[in-house]
Amino acid sequence: MTLSVSVIIPVHNGAVFLPDAIQSVRAQNYSPIEIIVVDDGSTDATADVASSLGDDVHLIRQPKRGVSAARNVGFAAASGDLIAFLDADDLLTPGTIAAEVGCFESNPDIDMVGGYMQLIPLLGADGAAVHAPTMIRNIPQLTVQMGCALFRSALVERVGGFDETLSYAEDVDWHLRAEESGIRRAILHRVTLLYR
């Protein structure tokens, strides 16, 4: 049986980046993929851009409630066996979803497959230092950033939604609750996400 994938993209005022994020999903060599964009009260052209990107993009609009609420709304609308949470300014690397699904198929007991994140500046990749001389862009990092991984829908149901009272580190909170639930994971030793 082919596992279906839902990619949930929360966005607030991300019209400039959203087409690239969606293109990175469409460029995956995998099917079926459902694309759900949750516009979290944008005041720019985000909704118009999302609506113009094709019939395969399911747009949900809501008043501004934050990224946690947007992810929760997207998950409630998702039909996939596997769930990806991709921020609107980030990009999946080519072949990521196929590689992650392959890992699920080879390991039916795992709940999550993740990879490495690679930092890029807003307009592309370079080798400039970030914040401190020891932090260099483009060095792959293993993180709790949601876009690096694919999750079984059943795991997201078990752990519960994102805490809508948190204004930051909601991904850390979710991963800690996943740990407490006894998550079983596999790590791919490859970059799966380009993170702006």
Side-chain angles (χ1 to χ4, degrees):
M1 179 181 89
T2 302
L3 295 169
S4 59
V5 176
S6 295
V7 179
I8 298 165
I9 305 176
V11 57
H12 175 75
N13 290 345
V16 68
F17 296 117
L18 185 60
D20 289 343
I22 289 174
Q23 181 54 37
S24 80
V25 176
R26 287 182 173 148
Q28 299 298 307
N29 54 341
Y30 189 80
S31 180
I33 295 178
E34 170 183 55
I35 303 171
I36 300 172
V37 173
V38 183
D39 179 6
D40 186 46
S42 294
T43 57
D44 68 355
T46 292
D48 292 337
V49 168
S51 295
S52 74
L53 291 174
D55 293 338
D56 62 333
V57 177
H58 175 59
L59 173 64
I60 301 171
R61 298 181 75 180
Q62 68 178 26
K64 184 160 178 21
R65 294 173 46 208
V67 67
S68 292
R71 286 186 184 134
N72 291 341
V73 165
F75 178 69
S79 63
D81 302 306
L82 304 171
I83 305 294
F85 296 100
L86 178 66
D87 288 348
D89 56 347
D90 296 337
L91 306 168
L92 295 175
T93 59
T96 285
I97 288 180
E100 290 173 335
V101 170
C103 198
F104 277 109
E105 291 172 340
S106 300
N107 302 278
D109 293 332
I110 60 172
D111 301 306
M112 168 197 153
V113 177
Y116 294 109
M117 174 183 84
Q118 182 170 329
L119 299 175
I120 61 172
L122 290 178
L123 300 177
D126 68 21
V130 183
H131 304 303
T134 56
M135 285 185 65
I136 305 299
R137 289 184 205 252
N138 300 326
I139 303 297
Q141 302 175 32
L142 189 61
T143 76
V144 296
Q145 215 289 337
M146 298 303 293
C148 291
L150 197 56
F151 307 89
R152 284 200 193 274
S153 182
L155 170 69
V156 181
E157 288 279 356
R158 186 172 83 228
V159 172
F162 294 86
D163 186 340
E164 297 181 19
T165 67
L166 296 176
S167 58
Y168 63 92
E170 77 292 333
D171 50 355
V172 175
D173 171 77
W174 191 89
H175 275 282
L176 288 172
R177 287 187 283 124
E179 286 293 330
E180 291 172 349
S181 80
I183 187 173
R184 295 158 298 183
R185 70 169 59 79
I187 302 298
L188 298 177
H189 296 286
R190 59 176 283 172
V191 173
T192 57
L193 182 75
L194 301 179
Y195 178 82
R196 289 186 169 113

